[in-house]
Amino acid sequence: MKKYTGNIIGKYGLSLFFISTLLLFGCIENDVDYPYTPGEIETFEVEGITQAADIVKSTRTVEVIVDETVDIYDLRITRMTVTNDAAIYPESEKVVNKDASFPEHGFAALDSIPLGTDTRIDFSQPVNFLLQTYQDYDWTIKVTQTISRDINFSGDIRIGEPVFDYERKQAIVYVKEGTDLSNLTVTSFKLGSSLATTTPSPFAVKDFSNVVYFDVTAFGRTETWGVNVLYKDESDVSTNLYARSKQAILVGEMASGVALEVQYKERNQESWMSLNSGDIILSSNSYTATITGLTPSTNYQARVVMGGSIGEEIDFTTATAEVLNNGSFDNWHQDPSKTNIWNPWALDASQFWDTGNRGGYFVEQYNS
């Protein structure tokens, strides 16, 4: 009897031991942190890219500029390398080929991606990408397409550069007053990609007395643009002035073929000085003029004389010239606590210059 009882206790005691052990381990929480492995985009390229992508890791953004020969609604990524072999997940609705998957990891070239994958993305708007390691990292990629738009007519009648409203698809061209808007000859006309077709042919249109609408078709999509040709006084041109301590820069529009002169003076002076023509850079319909030799913290006036017509006087004040502390490096003192260190400022003055290489004083005479 005692032997039988002992066997039961031994049998069930062992079972209780295993059960309690399992319960104990089941209550242990797995609080071991995953390693910190950031998911970052290292390189990024697409078809038609014109310069290296601007990758900002602090904001997790990538900005890319492409030319006008590619379709940003169907743009192929040709290179995308990431850190720590991060998994890549673009916005699913921005993936062009829904029947194919996007490469799971980074790739240095298209010939290295697996079969059945496709890198074409709709970049008409910024696209979000998730990079996943042990943590998740959200990135935003923005693609901007540069299209060189232009409209011009024969006879040097245009004033300034055309204005293009990309959202409303409207273009405004200013011409000299008195121009016959019903009989214009188009010499250049471009509202879309260099691969686009325009209907009707702008070179066959003569009457721009009212808004003229053009269908611009590229990559299977059509945009309808309205072109407005309006009168503008030749002297009514926009001018922006940027003042510095000893110079001022004027940037403005002008009519083609019109003589231009820039004048300036101190505000309390009577006579105007004319800027040397060599300090004025002219393009087809704009100018940049640089006035030099000005005095800091001084009030000036500037004006533009265009085709003999004197423009509005612009008041401006030059900036204060900042003087660097000990800019001549004439003042030095020896560190009292470390006699082999020379500091580039006076003993009782505030510190301004410093190389940040103080460790060198252990070796030899040293400049701080």
Side-chain angles (χ1 to χ4, degrees), residues 294-351:
L294 304 180
T295 304
S297 305
T298 304
N299 298 321
Y300 285 93
Q301 290 179 314
R303 66 188 185 186
V304 177
V305 182
M306 194 170 300
S309 179
I310 299 176
E312 181 181 359
E313 296 177 1
I314 304 173
D315 294 326
F316 68 96
T317 302
T318 50
T320 302
E322 298 292 337
V323 179
L324 291 176
N325 294 336
N326 192 25
S328 62
F329 290 100
D330 288 336
N331 299 316
W332 294 74
H333 77 277
Q334 198 168 28
D335 193 319
S337 61
K338 302 179 181 66
T339 56
N340 56 341
I341 290 184
W342 286 90
N343 298 315
W345 64 87
L347 178 61
D348 297 326
S350 299
Q351 176 180 350

Side-chain angles (χ1 to χ4, degrees), residues 13-27:
L14 184 62
S15 299
L16 289 172
F17 170 77
F18 280 113
I19 292 171
S20 61
T21 302
L22 290 173
L23 291 174
L24 176 62
F25 279 101
C27 294

Side-chain angles (χ1 to χ4, degrees), residues 21-64:
T21 302
L22 290 173
L23 291 174
L24 176 62
F25 279 101
C27 294
I28 296 176
E29 182 179 353
N30 182 10
D31 57 356
V32 178
D33 291 334
Y34 287 109
Y36 175 68
T37 52
E40 298 177 337
I41 297 176
E42 292 185 308
T43 62
F44 186 85
E45 295 177 5
V46 294
E47 294 175 318
I49 191 169
T50 60
Q51 60 190 50
D54 183 13
I55 301 174
V56 183
K57 295 182 179 180
S58 60
T59 57
R60 297 177 192 157
T61 57
V62 179
E63 293 193 8
V64 183

Side-chain angles (χ1 to χ4, degrees), residues 12 24-25 74 83 97 129 181 184 229 291 293-294 301 314-315 318 320 330 363:
Y12 284 96
L24 176 62
F25 279 101
D74 188 346
T83 61
N97 186 355
F129 280 75
L181 302 184
L184 298 179
V229 180
I291 305 173
L294 304 180
Q301 290 179 314
I314 304 173
D315 294 326
T318 50
T320 302
D330 288 336
V363 180

Side-chain angles (χ1 to χ4, degrees), residues 215-272:
D215 288 335
V216 182
T217 303
F219 309 110
R221 288 180 299 276
T222 299
E223 297 178 342
T224 300
W225 281 76
V227 176
N228 298 268
V229 180
L230 305 175
Y231 291 131
K232 189 173 186 178
D233 189 336
E234 292 182 51
S235 62
D236 181 20
V237 294
S238 61
T239 299
N240 296 313
L241 188 145
Y242 308 93
R244 298 175 179 173
S245 60
K246 296 182 180 181
Q247 67 174 212
I249 300 175
L250 286 83
V251 180
E253 300 173 345
M254 60 178 293
S256 301
V258 174
L260 180 138
E261 181 183 0
V262 175
Q263 299 178 345
Y264 67 100
K265 68 179 181 68
E266 287 192 31
R267 194 176 303 172
N268 58 0
Q269 299 294 318
E270 294 294 330
S271 59
W272 291 83

Side-chain angles (χ1 to χ4, degrees), residues 56-368:
V56 183
K57 295 182 179 180
S58 60
T59 57
R60 297 177 192 157
T61 57
V62 179
E63 293 193 8
V64 183
I65 299 176
V66 297
D67 62 33
E68 58 188 40
T69 64
V70 294
D71 183 4
I72 62 173
Y73 289 82
D74 188 346
L75 191 60
R76 194 183 305 276
I77 302 173
T78 57
R79 176 184 175 90
M80 185 176 185
T81 60
V82 296
T83 61
N84 296 310
D85 199 31
I88 304 172
Y89 302 101
E91 290 182 63
S92 58
E93 62 271 21
K94 299 297 181 67
V95 174
V96 174
N97 186 355
K98 306 300 183 184
D99 296 327
S101 60
F102 191 85
E104 186 176 356
H105 298 283
F107 52 95
L110 287 177
D111 57 11
S112 65
I113 65 175
L115 293 175
T117 59
D118 197 331
T119 65
R120 290 179 296 149
I121 300 290
D122 178 359
F123 280 110
S124 58
Q125 299 293 330
V127 179
N128 294 322
F129 280 75
L130 171 65
L131 268 60
Q132 196 171 64
T133 57
Y134 290 102
Q135 297 83 25
D136 292 345
Y137 299 91
D138 292 314
W139 283 74
T140 301
I141 300 178
K142 178 182 178 182
V143 175
T144 301
Q145 187 171 42
T146 56
I147 296 179
S148 179
R149 296 177 171 88
D150 185 50
I151 301 175
N152 206 353
F153 305 100
S154 65
D156 287 334
I157 61 173
R158 194 178 78 180
I159 298 178
E161 298 293 333
V163 178
F164 298 100
D165 185 335
Y166 311 112
E167 296 296 325
R168 298 179 177 85
K169 301 296 183 292
Q170 295 286 322
I172 300 175
V173 186
Y174 294 105
V175 298
K176 298 177 182 179
E177 292 185 358
T179 300
D180 184 1
L181 302 184
S182 65
N183 188 27
L184 298 179
T185 300
V186 175
T187 57
S188 63
F189 193 99
K190 188 164 174 289
L191 290 174
S193 165
S194 57
L195 304 179
T197 59
T198 304
T199 307
S201 171
F203 301 98
V205 178
K206 295 291 185 181
D207 189 355
F208 285 88
S209 54
N210 294 301
V211 180
V212 181
Y213 291 95
F214 296 88
D215 288 335
V216 182
T217 303
F219 309 110
R221 288 180 299 276
T222 299
E223 297 178 342
T224 300
W225 281 76
V227 176
N228 298 268
V229 180
L230 305 175
Y231 291 131
K232 189 173 186 178
D233 189 336
E234 292 182 51
S235 62
D236 181 20
V237 294
S238 61
T239 299
N240 296 313
L241 188 145
Y242 308 93
R244 298 175 179 173
S245 60
K246 296 182 180 181
Q247 67 174 212
I249 300 175
L250 286 83
V251 180
E253 300 173 345
M254 60 178 293
S256 301
V258 174
L260 180 138
E261 181 183 0
V262 175
Q263 299 178 345
Y264 67 100
K265 68 179 181 68
E266 287 192 31
R267 194 176 303 172
N268 58 0
Q269 299 294 318
E270 294 294 330
S271 59
W272 291 83
M273 296 178 288
S274 293
L275 185 64
N276 190 302
S277 60
D279 295 321
I280 304 175
I281 300 175
L282 301 176
S283 65
S284 58
N285 294 100
S286 64
Y287 68 89
T288 301
T290 303
I291 305 173
T292 58
L294 304 180
T295 304
S297 305
T298 304
N299 298 321
Y300 285 93
Q301 290 179 314
R303 66 188 185 186
V304 177
V305 182
M306 194 170 300
S309 179
I310 299 176
E312 181 181 359
E313 296 177 1
I314 304 173
D315 294 326
F316 68 96
T317 302
T318 50
T320 302
E322 298 292 337
V323 179
L324 291 176
N325 294 336
N326 192 25
S328 62
F329 290 100
D330 288 336
N331 299 316
W332 294 74
H333 77 277
Q334 198 168 28
D335 193 319
S337 61
K338 302 179 181 66
T339 56
N340 56 341
I341 290 184
W342 286 90
N343 298 315
W345 64 87
L347 178 61
D348 297 326
S350 299
Q351 176 180 350
F352 185 80
W353 300 103
D354 199 337
T355 65
N357 296 320
R358 291 179 172 271
Y361 78 82
F362 289 108
V363 180
E364 57 183 349
Q365 291 283 326
Y366 185 70
N367 299 333
S368 73

